[in-house]
C-alpha cells in the first residue's frame, strides 16, 4: 500500500477505535454520578425559584470562587501581552 | 500543627511578588521606552526574581514551623472555595523555580541585547514563573488549571519569540496545538472527577476516592490525566513537540523550559496521583511509560547532529528517569524524583545556557562545524563539560547522587527490572555526551575564530558549574530538603487532608 | 431528574468529533476549531452533571464553565495570532507544508 493509503487506513482505524471504546464506556459501564460525594462539600440551589436561579448561581461564583476569578484576570492580561508580542511590527535595533 | 489563613486579600508571598512584578514590568517597559533608559527592564526582572527567591526563603521558615499552610481569600473557606495549600514539597518546587529564574534573568541581560519587544519578553518570563509557582501551591484542581493555562500561554509565545525566521513559528504552532489539546483532556478528566465526587478540592477528592475499587470510569480518568499532564511533561508517545520547540526557542527560554516547565507537569501528575489513587494502581503503567520514554529518547539522541536538539532528546530521557521514581510509589522514590528535578534544572539549564553562549558567538548549532570550540571559549567549554558529566551520572557530580537514589528506590520497591533498564540507559547516554565532549576538545579547522562570551553569560554558567560539583561532593543540605519534601507528600497525606477538613 | 445517558452520548460524540478533526483536517484554523470542540465537550459534561441531583441544581459546575470558556478563548486567540505569523512566512495555512523541521 502506498504511504497515503496506509496513513488514511490508520486514521480510520483510530477513529473507529475511539468510537468503540467511548460507546462501550458510555453504554455498558454506569456512570457513578455523585456516588462518592459528601454533604459538607456542596451547596445546592433548590429548583423552585425559577426566576431567580441565574442570580443565585452568579452569587455563588462571586462568593465562593473569587480566587479563581483573580487568577483568570491575570490570564487575560497575559493573553493581551502575548498577542502584542506576536503581532508587533518593529525592527531590531542593531 | 496546621495554619489556616483566610482573612482579607492574601496570596502566598512568592506568588504575589511574581504576579505584581509582572504587572508592573509592563509599566517599567513603557517607562524605559519613553525616557530611553538602558537596561531598566533587565534590572527590574532581576529584582523581581531575587525578591521571589527571598520570599520563598521566608515561606520555608514559616512552613517548617507549621506543616501545612492553607490560604484562602476574603473569608471564603475551602472546600467550597479555591484555596492554596502549601507544604514542604511546594516550597521545594517554588525554590527551584525562583532559583533558575534568577539565573536565567541574569543570563539574558546580554543574550537578548539586540532584540526588540523586550518588554513583552521579560513580562512573559515573569508571568511564566508566576504560573508555575501557582501550580505548585494550588490546593484545588481548578486553581491548578488556571495557573496551568497561565504558564502554558506564556510559554507558547516565548517559544515563538524570534519570529523573524520560520523555525520558531513552526515549532511554536505545533507546541500550541498539542498543549491546548492536553488542556482540553485535563478539563475532561476534571469533569469526570467532579461527576463522581461533587467537588474539585484536593483534600475532599482524596478522602472520597482513595482506595475505592477500580471501575472503568476510574481507568478513563487515569488515562485522560496521563494524557493531560503527559504532553507537558514530554512522556513518550506525546513528546513530539519537544525536539522542535526546545532548539528553536531562544536559549534562556530553552533552559527554563527544559529545566523547570516540564518538571512542573511531572509535579502536578505526582501530586494528583498520590492524592487520588493508591500506589498499587499506577505502579505498572508508569513503569512501562518510563521504559518507553528512556529507551526511545536515548536511541534517537544518538542520531542527532544539532547540539540543542541533542540536549532536547536528553531532556526526554531524564524525564524517563524521573518516572522511575514515581513508579516506585514510595517516599524514597519520590525523594529521588524531586532531587533529580532540582539537579536536572541545574545541569540541563546550564547545558542549554552554555550552548546558547556558543551559538551566540559562532552563529551555528551544527556539531560538525563547532569542532575545537574548547580552545577559543575555555570557561564556557569547561562548564559544558561538567554539565555533560553530571547528566551522564559520573560520580562527583550531583547527577550521580540523584540517579543513584532513583535506581535504588526502584530496586527497593520490587521493580528490579526497571532499575536495571535505567542503569543501562544511563550508560548508553554517556555515548552521545562523549561525542559532544570530543567536539569540544578537538582541534579547530582553518579560519574558525570565536571569542569568549560576555561577562553575565560566563558568570552564570561558571556559577552553575560550581554548584553542580559542590552538590555532588556534599549533597547533605539538598538531600535533607528533598527528604522533607517527599515525606510531606507521601507520609504527610493525613496532615494535608486534615488541614482543610479540620 | 433528567436522565444522564443522552448528555453522556453527546459529550462522547463531541469528543470523538474533536479528535477526528484534529487528526484529519489540514487547515490550521480548522485544527484550532477541533481543539475548541474538545474544550466544549468538557464544558457540556460539567453542565449536564449539574442537573443530576433531584430537585436541585449545583452552581459549582456553572462557575467552572464560565471561567473555562474564557480560558480556552484566550488559547484560541493566541493560536490565531500564530497562524497569522505562519501565513507571513509560508504563504499557506496547510499544516502538511510545515515539514521543514524534521528529525
Amino acid at each position: 500500500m502506498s504511504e497515503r493509503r496506509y496513513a488514511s487506513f490508520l486514521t480510520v482505524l483510530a477513529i473507529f477505535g475511539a468510537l468503540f471504546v467511548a460507546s462501550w464506556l458510555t453504554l455498558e459501564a454506569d456512570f457513578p454520578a455523585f456516588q462518592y460525594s459528601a454533604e459538607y462539600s456542596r451547596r445546592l440551589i433548590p429548583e423552585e425559584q425559577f426566576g431567580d436561579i441565574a442570580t443565585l448561581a452568579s452569587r455563588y461564583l462571586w462568593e465562593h470562587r473569587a480566587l479563581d476569578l483573580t487568577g483568570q484576570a491575570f490570564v487575560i492580561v497575559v493573553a493581551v501581552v502575548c498577542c502584542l508580542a506576536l503581532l508587533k511590527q518593529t525592527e531590531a535595533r542593531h | 500543627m496546621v495554619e489556616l489563613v483566610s482573612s482579607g486579600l492574601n496570596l502566598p508571598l512568592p506568588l504575589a511578588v511574581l504576579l505584581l512584578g509582572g504587572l508592573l514590568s509592563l509599566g517599567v517597559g513603557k517607562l524605559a521606552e519613553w525616557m530611553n533608559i538602558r537596561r531598566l527592564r533587565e534590572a527590574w526582572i532581576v529584582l523581581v526574581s531575587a525578591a521571589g527567591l527571598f520570599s520563598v526563603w521566608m515561606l520555608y521558615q514559616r512552613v517548617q514551623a507549621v506543616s501545612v499552610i492553607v490560604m484562602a481569600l476574603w473569608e471564603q473557606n475551602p472546600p467550597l472555595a479555591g484555596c492554596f495549600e502549601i507544604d514542604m514539597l511546594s516550597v521545594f518546587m517554588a525554590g527551584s523555580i525562583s532559583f533558575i529564574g534568577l539565573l536565567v534573568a541574569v543570563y539574558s541581560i546580554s543574550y537578548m541585547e539586540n532584540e526588540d519587544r523586550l518588554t513583552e519578553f521579560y513580562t512573559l518570563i515573569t508571568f511564566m514563573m508566576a504560573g508555575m509557582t501557582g501550580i505548585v501551591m494550588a490546593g484545588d484542581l481548578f486553581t491548578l488549571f488556571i495557573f496551568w493555562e497561565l504558564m502554558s500561554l506564556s510559554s507558547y509565545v516565548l517559544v515563538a519569540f524570534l519570529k523573524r525566521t520560520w523555525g520558531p513559528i513552526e515549532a511554536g504552532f505545533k507546541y500550541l496545538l498539542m498543549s491546548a489539546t492536553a488542556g482540553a483532556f485535563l478539563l475532561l478528566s476534571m469533569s469526570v472527577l467532579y461527576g463522581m465526587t461533587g467537588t474539585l478540592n484536593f483534600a475532599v477528592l482524596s478522602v472520597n476516592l482513595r482506595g475505592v475499587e477500580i471501575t472503568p470510569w476510574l481507568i478513563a480518568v487515569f488515562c485522560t490525566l496521563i494524557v493531560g499532564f503527559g504532553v507537558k511533561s514530554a512522556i513518550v508517545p506525546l513528546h513530539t513537540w519537544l525536539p522542535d520547540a526546545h532548539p528553536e526557542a531562544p536559549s534562556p527560554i530553552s533552559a527554563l523550559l527544559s529545566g523547570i516547565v516540564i518538571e512542573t507537569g511531572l509535579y502536578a501528575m505526582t501530586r494528583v496521583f498520590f492524592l487520588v489513587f493508591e500506589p498499587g494502581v499506577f505502579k505498572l503503567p508508569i513503569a512501562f511509560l518510563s521504559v518507553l520514554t528512556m529507551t526511545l529518547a536515548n536511541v534517537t539522541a544518538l542520531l542527532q547532529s544539532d547540539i540543542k536538539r541533542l540536549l532536547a532528546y536528553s531532556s526526554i530521557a531524564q524525564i524517563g528517569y524521573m518516572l522511575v521514581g514515581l513508579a516506585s510509589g514510595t517516599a524514597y522514590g519520590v525523594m529521588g524524583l524531586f532531587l533529580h528535578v532540582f539537579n536536572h534544572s541545574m545541569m540541563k539549564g546550564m547545558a542549554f545556557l552554555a550552548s546558547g553562549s556558543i551559538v551566540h558567538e559562532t552563529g551555528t548549532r551544527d556539531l560538525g562545524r563547532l569542532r575545537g570550540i574548547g580552545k577559543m571559549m575555555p570557561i564556557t567549554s569547561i562548564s559544558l563539560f561538567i554539565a555533560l558529566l553530571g547528566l551522564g551520572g559520573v560520580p562527583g557530580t550531583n547527577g550521580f547522587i540523584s540517579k543513584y537514589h532513583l535506581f535504588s528506590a526502584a530496586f527497593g520497591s520490587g521493580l528490579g527490572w526497571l532499575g536495571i533498564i535505567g542503569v543501562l540507559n544511563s550508560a548508553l547516554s554517556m555515548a552521545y555526551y562523549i561525542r559532544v565532549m570530543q567536539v569540544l576538545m578537538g582541534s579547530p579547522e582553518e579560519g574558525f575564530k570565536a571569542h569568549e562570551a560576555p561577562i553575565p553569560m560566563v558568570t552564570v554558567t561558571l556559577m552553575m558549574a560550581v554548584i553542580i560539583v559542590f552538590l555532588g561532593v556534599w549533597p547533605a543540605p539538598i538531600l535533607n530538603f528533598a527528604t522533607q519534601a517527599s515525606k510531606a507528600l507521601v507520609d504527610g497525606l493525613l496532615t494535608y487532608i486534615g488541614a482543610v477538613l479540620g | 431528574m433528567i436522565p444522564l445517558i443522552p448528555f453522556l452520548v453527546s459529550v462522547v460524540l463531541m469528543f470523538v468529533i474533536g479528535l477526528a478533526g484534529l487528526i484529519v483536517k489540514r487547515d490550521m484554523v480548522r485544527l484550532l476549531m477541533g481543539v475548541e470542540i474538545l474544550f466544549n465537550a468538557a464544558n457540556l459534561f460539567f453542565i449536564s452533571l449539574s442537573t443530576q441531583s433531584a430537585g436541585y441544581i449545583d452552581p459549582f459546575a456553572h462557575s467552572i464553565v464560565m471561567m473555562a470558556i474564557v480560558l480556552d478563548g484566550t488559547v484560541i486567540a493566541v493560536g490565531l495570532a500564530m497562524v497569522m505569523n505562519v501565513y507571513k512566512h509560508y504563504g499557506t495555512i496547510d499544516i502538511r507544508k510545515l515539514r521543514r523541521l524534521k528529525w
Side-chain angles (χ1 to χ4, degrees):
Chain A
M1 264 191 256
S2 71
E3 186 170 309
R4 286 197 59 184
R5 284 249 186 102
Y6 191 60
S8 46
F9 176 67
L10 273 184
T11 310
V12 168
L13 199 64
I15 294 177
F16 269 109
L19 259 179
F20 181 70
V21 166
S23 52
W24 177 79
L25 202 59
T26 320
L27 300 172
E28 286 297 319
D30 285 325
F31 184 74
F34 297 120
Q35 195 174 342
Y36 303 104
S37 68
E39 278 310 312
Y40 54 83
S41 62
R42 312 178 61 201
R43 174 156 309 161
L44 304 172
I45 300 179
E47 243 175 30
E48 291 91 42
Q49 310 141 273
F50 233 43
D52 273 344
I53 279 190
T55 338
L56 289 173
S58 59
R59 192 186 296 174
Y60 183 90
L61 176 65
W62 284 101
E63 279 178 7
H64 292 282
R65 285 271 143 191
L67 183 66
D68 301 334
L69 282 174
T70 319
Q72 185 181 302
F74 280 106
V75 172
I76 296 183
V77 168
V78 166
V80 170
V81 173
C82 284
C83 291
L84 269 180
L86 275 178
L87 299 172
K88 253 192 186 175
Q89 306 272 358
T90 58
E91 299 162 8
R93 25 186 185 97
H94 274 293
Chain B
M1 276 283 285
V2 301
E3 191 181 329
L4 176 67
V5 181
S6 75
S7 59
L9 171 66
N10 51 353
L11 296 169
L13 195 59
L15 187 61
V17 164
L18 285 169
L19 281 175
L20 211 57
L23 267 185
L24 290 178
S25 155
L26 284 171
V28 164
K30 254 317 185 215
L31 193 70
E33 204 177 302
W34 281 345
M35 307 195 0
N36 214 1
I37 310 174
R38 298 186 56 210
R39 318 272 193 187
L40 184 65
R41 306 177 184 108
E42 287 89 341
W44 180 251
I45 189 180
V46 169
L47 184 68
V48 166
S49 2
L53 192 59
F54 184 64
S55 54
V56 170
W57 169 250
M58 285 174 23
L59 196 66
Y60 173 72
Q61 314 282 51
R62 217 167 137 192
V63 173
Q64 224 175 10
V66 298
S67 325
V68 180
I69 303 179
V70 176
M71 277 192 182
L73 219 59
W74 285 311
E75 307 286 346
Q76 302 172 359
N77 290 321
L80 283 172
C83 63
F84 288 113
E85 192 158 352
I86 307 171
D87 58 357
M88 198 49 91
L89 183 60
S90 316
V91 176
F92 184 82
M93 289 293 297
S96 306
I97 293 168
S98 306
F99 190 50
I100 192 167
L102 178 63
L103 291 170
V104 162
V106 173
Y107 180 90
S108 55
I109 291 179
S110 55
Y111 189 87
M112 305 285 298
E113 259 181 330
N114 297 327
E115 301 290 333
D116 58 341
R117 295 167 292 144
L118 276 180
T119 316
E120 281 87 4
F121 183 74
Y122 289 118
T123 311
L124 286 172
I125 289 188
T126 318
F127 272 121
M128 188 161 83
M129 282 164 46
M132 286 192 274
T133 314
I135 289 178
V136 304
M137 292 185 181
D140 185 271
L141 257 178
F142 196 66
T143 312
L144 191 141
F145 184 68
I146 287 189
F147 284 106
W148 181 272
E149 290 296 325
L150 185 66
M151 171 183 86
S152 302
L153 271 181
S154 327
S155 64
Y156 302 150
V157 176
L158 283 174
V159 163
F161 196 72
L162 304 171
K163 64 186 172 81
R164 244 168 285 117
T165 53
W166 48 267
I169 298 284
E170 175 181 337
F173 186 75
K174 286 187 181 165
Y175 174 35
L176 184 146
L177 209 57
M178 291 187 71
S179 193
T181 315
F185 270 85
L186 195 58
L187 199 62
L188 205 67
S189 71
M190 278 162 52
S191 65
V192 177
L193 280 174
Y194 164 73
M196 290 200 270
T197 55
T199 178
L200 284 177
N201 195 319
F202 277 160
V204 182
L205 273 181
S206 183
V207 160
N208 291 334
L209 276 183
R210 195 161 212 256
V212 300
E213 45 163 318
I214 305 296
T215 59
W217 278 103
L218 216 54
I219 298 182
V221 168
F222 182 67
C223 295
T224 40
L225 274 176
I226 284 190
V227 171
F229 288 129
V231 167
K232 214 34 172 291
S233 333
I235 304 183
V236 154
L238 314 159
H239 71 290
T240 49
W241 58 273
L242 199 147
D244 293 334
H246 280 46
E248 300 295 334
S251 291
I253 303 299
S254 296
L256 266 183
L257 276 178
S258 248
I260 201 75
V261 172
I262 49 185
E263 280 86 359
T264 305
L266 204 57
Y267 160 85
M269 199 160 87
T270 313
R271 175 75 85 175
V272 174
F273 279 178
F274 270 101
L275 280 173
V276 174
F277 300 109
E278 292 277 322
V281 172
F282 59 79
K283 252 184 164 171
L284 280 181
I286 299 283
F288 173 65
L289 281 176
S290 160
V291 166
L292 199 60
T293 310
M294 286 193 281
T295 318
L296 197 84
N298 277 326
V299 166
T300 323
L302 288 171
L303 306 169
Q304 301 302 319
S305 64
D306 176 345
I307 186 171
K308 286 178 78 172
R309 213 170 158 94
L310 189 144
L311 287 174
Y313 273 109
S314 158
S315 289
I316 306 179
Q318 303 283 335
I319 292 283
Y321 302 144
M322 292 182 216
L323 281 175
V324 169
L326 180 59
S328 72
T330 58
Y332 188 45
V334 173
M335 188 268 282
L337 195 159
F338 285 105
L339 186 64
H340 201 58
V341 164
F342 179 70
N343 290 340
H344 180 243
S345 75
M346 285 292 113
M347 296 185 294
K348 188 51 70 61
M350 197 266 274
F352 266 112
L353 293 180
S355 49
S357 307
I358 295 179
V359 170
H360 185 80
E361 291 302 316
T362 60
T364 173
R365 293 195 324 232
D366 191 5
L367 271 180
R369 298 187 14 214
L370 285 174
R371 191 163 260 299
I373 195 83
K375 296 202 172 39
M376 292 179 267
M377 301 175 71
I379 308 183
T380 312
S381 306
I382 291 180
S383 318
L384 189 56
F385 194 80
I386 293 179
L388 292 172
L389 284 180
L391 283 169
V394 170
T397 57
N398 55 4
F400 170 70
I401 304 230
S402 53
K403 280 193 189 175
Y404 169 74
H405 283 296
L406 276 172
F407 297 141
S408 60
F411 281 119
S413 72
L415 293 171
W417 52 276
L418 191 62
I420 294 178
I421 294 181
V423 172
L424 284 177
N425 267 300
S426 197
L428 179 64
S429 69
M430 269 319 274
Y432 53 86
Y433 293 135
I434 287 183
R435 191 155 69 98
V436 181
M437 289 187 223
Q438 277 178 337
V439 164
L440 285 181
M441 293 192 297
S443 52
E445 309 170 339
E446 301 291 325
F448 185 44
K449 290 237 161 294
H451 45 130
E452 188 59 76
I455 300 251
M457 296 157 73
V458 163
T459 320
V460 169
T461 45
L462 197 59
M463 202 162 72
M464 287 168 95
V466 166
I467 290 178
I468 290 176
V469 174
F470 181 68
L471 285 180
V473 171
W474 188 50
I478 196 76
L479 210 59
N480 191 14
F481 196 8
T483 318
Q484 278 180 305
S486 69
K487 279 211 169 66
L489 176 68
V490 179
D491 299 330
L493 200 59
L494 289 174
T495 321
Y496 189 86
I497 296 176
V500 172
L501 298 179
Chain C
M1 194 159 110
I2 310 177
L4 186 59
I5 288 287
F7 287 121
L8 203 51
V9 165
S10 0
V11 167
V12 157
L13 268 181
M14 277 178 80
F15 177 74
V16 172
I17 288 176
L19 268 187
L22 276 178
I23 299 177
V24 169
K25 291 291 176 187
R26 70 171 71 166
D27 195 3
M28 277 186 210
V29 180
R30 297 206 179 130
L31 290 176
L32 285 175
M33 279 197 252
V35 171
E36 183 75 17
I37 293 180
L38 274 180
F39 268 112
N40 283 334
N43 290 342
L44 180 63
F45 200 32
F46 265 116
I47 294 287
S48 64
L49 282 170
S50 86
T51 64
Q52 286 307 104
S53 327
Y56 294 93
I57 65 162
D58 192 0
F60 183 79
H62 297 264
S63 325
I64 301 276
V65 167
M66 276 195 264
M67 290 189 271
I69 292 179
V70 173
L71 284 177
D72 59 57
T74 58
V75 168
I76 300 290
V78 173
L80 286 173
M82 233 180 252
V83 168
M84 284 181 64
N85 275 313
V86 169
Y87 184 72
K88 214 175 292 181
H89 280 288
Y90 286 79
T92 171
I93 48 176
D94 187 345
I95 199 168
R96 296 184 190 176
K97 299 281 190 305
L98 260 62
R99 281 185 177 280
R100 297 196 203 168
L101 281 175
K102 48 177 147 326
W103 236 171

